[in-house]
Amino acid sequence: MISAASLAFALFTTVANAGTAKVDKGHSGVMFQAHHFGAGYTWGRFNDFGGTVEVDGMDLKSMDIEVKAASIDTGIEKRDKHLRSPDFFDAEKFETIKFKSSSVTKKSDGLYEVKGTLTLHGTSKQVTVDVKHTGNGKLPAMMGGNVISGWETAFDIKQSDYGMKYDGIGDVARLHVNLEAKH
């Protein structure tokens, strides 16, 4: 039997989740991994990013993300400076990495196929990624009382498709994106 409180929360969550919500950077992350000279993987993250998630009830409708390339952080400043250089991201010339969805198809409960344009290093390509809805929650009143939703994806890109190639670094990089949106 469903309690009245559970039913009220479910209805509130569905109604409150309608529309466009901003990504909460403090509870989200944009990370990557790249193969290093055929051995292990180098991991890193981007510290400056934002975006929006649009939902209708519990269904994802769109997702747009913008990342500042210069915010790359691997924990080693000398490497980060090199990654910002023209050898890799050329962050002065290509300041942002963007993903803008063009269509969303529900594959099953909580799993969506999202097609969109990924712009990296001045090159735009169509990509298709699976996005998982990781859940909904409600912040306590002292934290604003907002309804929040979680979303995640991980997908591979060929760096050479975006004009990025450097000896010793594998051509395929894996991007991990975890978003919490505040409605």
Side-chain angles (χ1 to χ4, degrees):
M1 177 172 225
I2 298 175
S3 72
S6 296
L7 183 58
F9 178 75
L11 290 172
F12 174 76
T13 301
T14 300
V15 171
N17 265 350
T20 302
K22 286 189 174 191
V23 169
D24 178 358
K25 189 169 75 170
H27 296 97
S28 302
V30 178
M31 294 139 292
F32 68 90
Q33 68 183 82
H35 214 187
H36 184 250
F37 285 94
Y41 288 90
T42 297
W43 283 82
R45 66 182 185 197
F46 293 93
N47 293 323
D48 191 0
F49 59 91
T52 58
V53 174
E54 182 184 359
V55 294
D56 183 6
M58 295 294 187
D59 289 327
L60 180 64
K61 294 301 176 189
S62 72
M63 179 177 283
D64 299 328
I65 303 162
E66 186 171 307
V67 176
K68 299 293 184 190
S71 73
I72 195 164
D73 181 356
T74 64
I76 299 173
E77 184 54 40
K78 184 176 178 181
R79 177 172 50 207
D80 296 344
K81 185 176 180 180
H82 188 209
L83 289 170
R84 290 180 195 111
S85 80
D87 285 345
F88 289 98
F89 286 97
D90 201 356
E92 280 190 35
K93 184 175 181 182
F94 306 110
E95 295 178 6
T96 58
I97 301 164
K98 295 180 185 179
F99 176 79
K100 181 165 183 54
S101 64
S102 56
S103 70
V104 176
T105 304
K106 187 174 186 174
K107 293 175 78 172
S108 63
D109 280 346
L111 186 62
Y112 300 85
E113 178 184 87
V114 179
K115 294 181 180 182
T117 303
L118 177 64
T119 302
L120 169 64
H121 203 250
T123 301
S124 297
K125 298 271 185 191
Q126 296 298 306
V127 298
T128 301
V129 300
D130 285 338
V131 175
K132 180 181 175 187
H133 179 213
T134 58
N136 292 321
K138 186 171 187 316
L139 296 173
M142 67 182 197
M143 295 175 72
N146 298 79
V147 171
I148 53 176
S149 62
W151 308 90
E152 72 176 10
T153 185
F155 59 98
D156 295 336
I157 62 163
K158 282 183 69 176
Q159 296 177 81
S160 59
D161 285 349
Y162 295 88
M164 297 172 63
K165 185 71 177 147
Y166 191 79
D167 288 339
I169 305 300
D171 192 27
V172 176
R174 186 149 187 86
L175 300 178
H176 300 263
V177 181
N178 299 294
L179 304 176
E180 186 174 291
K182 212 182 263 190
H183 300 267

